[in-house]
Amino acid sequence: MIRTWSYIVFLALVFLTGNQLQAQNFQFWQPGVSGFPQVAEFQDQFTFYFYLRNTTTSNYSGTLKVRSIVNNDPPVDLDSMVVQNFAVGDSILFVLNNYTITQPAYKLGQNGVVIWIVDDDLTPVSEEDSLDVFIVDRPAFRIGVQGMAGFPPVVSAGDEFDFTVHVENAYDGDYEDSLWLDLKIGDLTYTWQSPGPIYLPGRGGYLFEINDFVVENPPFVSGDNVLRARARGTQNTLSIPNHEQIATFLGPVGRPSAAQWKLGLFPHPIQDYFSLALPPQSRLQQLRLYDVQGRLQLMWDAQHRFELPKAFPSGTYLLQAEFQSGPPIFQRIQVIR
């Protein structure tokens, strides 16, 4: 009889443990919350969604609620889902329809939104996903997705080149006046102005063409430099701070010789992994991988084999090898998945 009751208590404990959740048990599956706009207007309605993965050690049955905080307002329940036998390692899809941008929760300009999952007891059971949405009610300018096209990811003192910056009007209303482009590097801000008033229709674009830009030291300093670009109009317009990219400055001594730019790389093009054949007497310290916009993607310490993440996208990249002594070596590579 004692053994029977012990077995019943054991089963009850297993059942309760299997359905108890603690914070951080679930994860937003990549890429997290999708469909949430970066720029919106008051009363805009849209659908956003995300996948939630069960990263516990047991199946779960119960109610999961989606909560959010906009700026510093109190938490709001957006939706809920009753799940049955949510298996370990599985993912479920949450779809939230007709979400509306409303006042006073949302304000003009930048707004922070945090979304997470709670259980019936309002205990957080997932990580948070943080989003930014810029609210406009008048012409508002941002840098287009291609960024500063033609700005090299690696530069040296005295380099001279042309580049372009595509500016978008993120509002439905038209704009007719002068337009400015600011590029901040270190403590210095470069500014260019359109040649007089321009007509920029709602959701339309304008192309700044920057000619004969010369790299100087300062404002560039050795290593990675953050380039922050923004577009702005006259009064009663909004500037959306949406663009940053990296340019690596080799220092005032100039570029390495052509021979120093060659790395023995195999296999190439790269699919899942690669190895390096280094110059004689050199000792690798760190390896960095940049995209064509100069944004750091991956970084490795010295090792014999370098592996890419499974979801790493195909494309052209810049590989930077840092050594314990001597200048870095740069080389363009191809990734084909």
Side-chain angles (χ1 to χ4, degrees):
M1 183 68 177
I2 295 177
R3 288 184 179 178
T4 302
W5 276 108
S6 298
Y7 183 67
I8 293 173
V9 170
F10 171 76
L11 288 179
L13 288 173
V14 169
F15 175 79
L16 291 173
T17 303
N19 283 275
Q20 266 188 340
L21 290 176
Q22 302 296 326
Q24 307 301 312
N25 277 110
F26 295 151
Q27 289 183 350
F28 288 100
W29 205 228
Q30 296 180 351
V33 176
S34 299
F36 217 100
Q38 293 181 333
V39 181
E41 299 176 42
F42 293 121
Q43 301 307 314
D44 275 359
Q45 282 192 341
F46 53 88
T47 296
F48 69 92
Y49 61 94
F50 56 87
Y51 286 91
L52 195 69
R53 190 175 190 186
N54 184 352
T55 51
T56 68
T57 58
S58 59
N59 297 350
Y60 173 76
S61 296
T63 301
L64 297 176
K65 300 178 180 180
V66 183
R67 303 201 97 189
S68 74
I69 288 180
V70 178
N71 298 318
N72 295 317
D73 281 6
V76 174
D77 290 336
L78 300 180
D79 201 355
S80 63
M81 178 184 294
V82 177
V83 296
Q84 296 291 335
N85 295 321
F86 185 14
V88 176
D90 281 357
S91 298
I92 55 176
L93 174 64
F94 280 80
V95 179
L96 291 92
N97 296 302
N98 301 321
Y99 183 84
T100 306
I101 300 292
T102 57
Q103 295 175 294
Y106 285 93
K107 302 172 178 59
L108 282 177
Q110 198 77 10
N111 294 258
V113 183
V114 179
I115 294 176
W116 74 102
I117 305 299
V118 299
D119 62 11
D120 279 329
D121 297 325
L122 303 183
T123 301
V125 295
S126 80
E127 58 187 356
E128 297 177 347
D129 199 2
S130 299
L131 309 165
D132 289 319
V133 55
F134 198 96
I135 305 301
V136 301
D137 69 346
R138 67 192 74 141
F141 306 109
R142 62 178 175 180
I143 308 301
V145 294
Q146 62 269 53
M148 295 186 292
F151 203 109
V154 179
V155 296
S156 188
D159 283 357
E160 186 173 337
F161 50 85
D162 303 335
F163 66 96
T164 59
V165 181
H166 185 255
V167 175
E168 299 174 346
N169 180 1
Y171 183 63
D172 288 328
D174 298 343
Y175 176 79
E176 190 168 1
D177 211 326
S178 295
L179 193 64
W180 287 266
L181 172 68
D182 295 330
L183 173 59
K184 183 175 176 59
I185 305 171
D187 294 328
L188 182 63
T189 299
Y190 297 87
T191 298
W192 296 272
Q193 183 179 354
S194 61
I198 62 169
Y199 172 70
L200 192 58
R203 308 294 177 177
Y206 176 80
L207 188 68
F208 275 96
E209 297 182 356
I210 311 302
N211 298 313
D212 304 322
F213 182 84
V214 178
V215 176
E216 298 176 319
N217 168 240
F220 282 90
V221 296
S222 295
D224 294 341
N225 291 256
V226 181
L227 315 180
R228 295 181 174 88
R230 70 161 187 166
R232 56 186 173 87
T234 53
Q235 291 183 346
N236 203 35
T237 64
L238 296 172
S239 179
I240 302 174
N242 72 309
H243 183 76
E244 291 184 359
Q245 68 186 61
I246 300 292
T248 301
F249 183 65
L250 299 183
V253 297
R255 294 180 180 274
S257 65
Q260 291 176 305
W261 281 62
K262 296 298 181 183
L263 288 170
L265 188 73
F266 56 92
H268 191 255
I270 300 168
Q271 186 171 12
D272 297 311
Y273 68 91
F274 64 95
S275 298
L276 293 177
L278 301 175
Q281 309 302 319
S282 63
R283 299 186 65 180
L284 183 67
Q285 179 171 319
Q286 194 175 70
L287 200 63
R288 298 182 178 189
L289 190 65
Y290 297 90
D291 64 15
V292 293
Q293 299 294 335
R295 296 170 296 202
L296 181 63
Q297 302 295 308
L298 297 171
M299 187 165 54
W300 302 271
D301 292 328
Q303 52 193 279
H304 296 293
R305 173 173 162 142
F306 304 90
E307 297 190 359
L308 300 180
K310 291 183 179 180
F312 197 77
S314 300
T316 300
Y317 297 89
L318 181 73
L319 194 65
Q320 175 185 355
E322 295 279 353
F323 300 93
Q324 293 185 5
S325 62
I329 295 178
F330 297 85
Q331 185 166 321
R332 288 189 180 274
I333 65 170
Q334 293 287 331
V335 175
I336 300 178
R337 309 309 293 268

